[in-house]
Amino acid sequence: MKFTNKFTGKATIYSKYRSSYPMAYINYLINRNGLTNNHTLADIGSGTGILTKQLLDQKLKVIAIEPNSDMRISAEKELNHYEQFTSLNAAAENTGLPNNSVDLITVAQAFHWFDKDKFKMECQRILKQDANVALVWNSRVSSSDLILENAEICKKHCPAFVGFSGGIEETPEMFKQFFRNGTYEFKEFENHLEYDLNSFIGRNISASYAPKETDDSYSHFIQSLSELYYKYSKNNVLIMPNLTRSYIGQV
């Protein structure tokens, strides 16, 4: 629970500026798991409901699990009109869901915040036999000059910055430890993101480590981001190299 409040006060900007997932990934997720509207999904660490909404739009039944009140309430305001939507105030490691009740668990941009051992045990408890866990990130292409310079700005102005996506190292060893018998399916989907100045800044300040307006470093952070935007944008559009990284397997 120690990370529950990381995004308190950021729900509105997170919902507005965080990117969704490419339809190629959504279609893959559905086909790979044989999903129909008779199946129940648990979207754990669901945040403001970005992936939840995309799944609901495919007529799937989704239980969103989110312990941060700001994020959860934002999702509920957006998604409560979906009949197939349920929202629960619970942690990844203790969802409160019944045993063997879930056909697929999805985790979007959140796995790095969990206690992985406890979360794995919870997955094993709530999943039906042979059902999968799907972990997914929208990840910046780390070799890009734009991304490298963006990281340097964050290091300079954001004391809590340890790397994008919480400093997670997407190593085979981490996923082998999580998935049963070290076996999982990895796929990448191109998902380059387009920003104007406001949305580029918005995307950066939606991060958990980003300074808030009341912080001394905030104005310097915004100025540096603006300079970076103008350096790499063309015709008032900045393209951020981005990949959707997917890991699916049993636990």
Side-chain angles (χ1 to χ4, degrees):
M1 296 294 290
K2 63 180 179 178
F3 296 121
T4 298
N5 296 320
K6 278 279 188 179
F7 290 95
T8 296
K10 290 180 177 282
T12 299
I13 200 164
Y14 192 105
S15 179
K16 184 175 181 179
Y17 292 117
R18 288 294 180 116
S19 57
S20 58
Y21 299 87
M23 276 309 302
Y25 169 71
I26 302 298
N27 292 333
Y28 160 72
L29 192 65
I30 291 170
N31 294 330
R32 175 67 172 74
N33 295 282
L35 299 176
T36 70
N37 57 12
N38 293 319
H39 292 108
T40 298
L41 284 66
D43 188 22
I44 299 182
S46 51
T48 60
I50 293 172
L51 178 60
T52 308
K53 182 181 186 302
Q54 291 187 269
L55 298 172
L56 290 167
D57 284 339
Q58 300 305 307
K59 313 301 181 185
L60 298 169
K61 180 181 178 181
V62 186
I63 303 170
I65 306 291
E66 176 53 53
N68 181 280
S69 295
D70 285 359
M71 305 284 270
R72 188 180 63 260
I73 291 169
S74 176
E76 290 168 353
K77 288 178 180 178
E78 173 76 12
L79 303 176
N80 267 343
H81 66 282
Y82 287 91
E83 292 183 3
Q84 298 278 68
F85 172 66
T86 302
S87 177
L88 295 179
N89 175 12
E93 301 83 359
N94 184 21
T95 64
L97 295 175
N99 294 347
N100 311 119
S101 62
V102 174
D103 296 288
L104 176 69
I105 289 172
T106 57
V107 182
Q109 308 291 138
F111 183 64
H112 46 286
W113 301 120
F114 300 168
D115 181 314
K116 295 173 182 59
D117 292 335
K118 291 181 179 179
F119 175 59
K120 181 174 181 174
M121 289 189 291
E122 182 69 350
C123 291
Q124 292 168 339
R125 185 184 70 79
I126 67 175
L127 281 170
K128 295 179 182 178
Q129 186 174 4
D130 298 329
N132 290 322
V133 177
L135 310 177
V136 63
W137 285 267
N138 273 324
S139 299
R140 298 165 176 84
V141 176
S142 59
S143 60
S144 158
D145 288 342
L146 165 64
I147 304 304
L148 291 169
E149 292 181 39
N150 200 162
E152 288 303 314
I153 289 171
C154 292
K155 289 177 186 177
K156 182 176 180 180
H157 298 294
C158 309
F161 180 76
V162 293
F164 297 124
S165 294
I168 187 174
E169 294 184 14
E170 293 182 22
T171 63
E173 290 72 23
M174 182 180 72
F175 297 110
K176 285 179 180 178
Q177 289 178 10
F178 179 71
F179 289 106
R180 185 189 303 173
N181 299 322
T183 301
Y184 59 90
E185 182 171 278
F186 170 70
K187 285 190 176 292
E188 280 185 337
F189 302 84
E190 188 174 285
N191 192 25
H192 299 326
L193 307 175
E194 293 188 8
Y195 294 105
D196 61 16
L197 176 60
N198 286 337
S199 59
F200 178 66
I201 290 174
R203 172 60 185 86
N204 275 273
I205 62 176
S206 74
S208 61
Y209 50 77
K212 298 180 180 180
E213 287 188 56
T214 52
D215 294 332
D216 292 339
S217 60
Y218 182 82
S219 61
H220 298 292
F221 185 51
I222 300 303
Q223 179 61 35
S224 296
L225 291 173
S226 299
E227 292 171 359
L228 183 64
Y229 173 85
Y230 286 117
K231 179 178 179 179
Y232 284 100
S233 63
K234 294 182 180 180
N235 299 317
N236 296 316
V237 175
L238 183 145
I239 306 295
M240 178 182 285
N242 187 79
L243 295 171
T244 296
R245 302 181 186 274
S246 164
Y247 305 81
I248 292 180
Q250 297 174 9
V251 296

